[in-house]
Amino acid sequence: MQYWLMKSEPNTFSWADLKAAPGQITCWEGVRNYQARNLMRDAMKQGDQVFFYHSNANPPAIMGIAKVVREAYADHFAFDPSSRYYDPKSTPEKPIWLMVDIQYERDIIPPIGLPELRTVPGLESMMLLQKGSRLSVQPVTPQAWEIIQQLRPGGQT
DNA sequence: GCCAACGTTGGC
DNA sequence: GCCAACGTTGGC
């Protein structure tokens, strides 16, 4: 089992949107970065745990935990000229871009804002907190995962 | 809205 | 293969 952090702008797709989705499942379309794609393709497995992070929010924050329920498959939004994620280089025959499905698991109450994360001992090396870090799908170490969970004790149920 | 950091594109 | 120009991300 691996741990991840996935970013979404709440204006585009929010934590509330995930909770309101059918089955509380969504496909994670729109990843258009090779490093993030490769992580999904090569390392992300069904059952993996995901921190759902709001970027471009006030404050940016970890909103809750989701899990991977379907491993990487072709992102068909890339085939659709009317989609904001259209990429003519990707075709059904040779898909370039991939997505996974994730499902709501539980809320983190209250959400853990970026300013709070920056104060937590032991998280200094977390990718999210590095200057210029933009990767929208990031691995999270088991140590960092545990530290962050401990910030909201009792959230396990 | 600003802008630093980063990734991609394309001319050469 | 280099690298300048450009577009995007995302915190502030």
Side-chain angles (χ1 to χ4, degrees):
Chain A
M1 147 113 66
Q2 301 221 72
Y3 300 106
W4 305 93
L5 180 142
M6 296 170 83
K7 298 179 185 175
S8 185
E9 301 192 16
N11 289 341
T12 303
F13 188 85
S14 71
W15 181 239
D17 291 332
L18 176 62
K19 291 167 72 173
Q24 299 185 310
I25 293 174
T26 188
C27 56
W28 202 257
E29 77 275 15
V31 171
R32 296 292 178 270
N33 169 283
Y34 288 104
Q35 196 178 347
R37 180 205 66 180
N38 293 348
L39 285 168
M40 290 196 298
R41 181 190 63 195
D42 302 332
M44 194 174 279
K45 300 299 178 193
Q46 190 168 336
D48 283 359
Q49 302 278 109
V50 178
F51 284 136
F52 190 110
Y53 177 82
H54 276 175
S55 60
N56 268 314
N58 285 303
I62 294 176
M63 303 302 294
I65 293 171
K67 68 183 173 198
V68 177
V69 292
R70 183 174 175 187
E71 295 177 11
Y73 61 106
D75 179 348
H76 61 265
F77 291 83
F79 312 145
D80 177 3
S82 68
S83 168
R84 61 179 295 197
Y85 301 121
Y86 178 59
D87 182 351
K89 295 192 301 296
S90 187
T91 64
E93 294 72 32
K94 285 207 163 199
I96 294 176
W97 302 116
L98 305 174
M99 58 187 179
V100 298
D101 289 356
I102 64 169
Q103 182 175 34
Y104 168 82
E105 193 156 291
R106 65 180 180 273
D107 296 306
I108 289 177
I109 302 173
I112 304 171
L114 186 58
E116 180 180 354
L117 286 171
R118 291 196 189 283
T119 70
V120 178
L123 295 183
E124 297 84 358
S125 62
M126 190 180 180
M127 188 181 294
L128 181 73
L129 305 183
Q130 304 312 302
K131 182 175 173 134
S133 167
R134 315 192 317 191
L135 200 58
S136 63
V137 176
Q138 306 183 355
V140 174
T141 65
Q143 293 78 10
W145 184 272
E146 180 62 22
I147 289 169
I148 292 168
Q149 296 245 51
Q150 291 302 323
L151 296 175
R152 299 289 183 270
Q156 203 55 245
T157 58

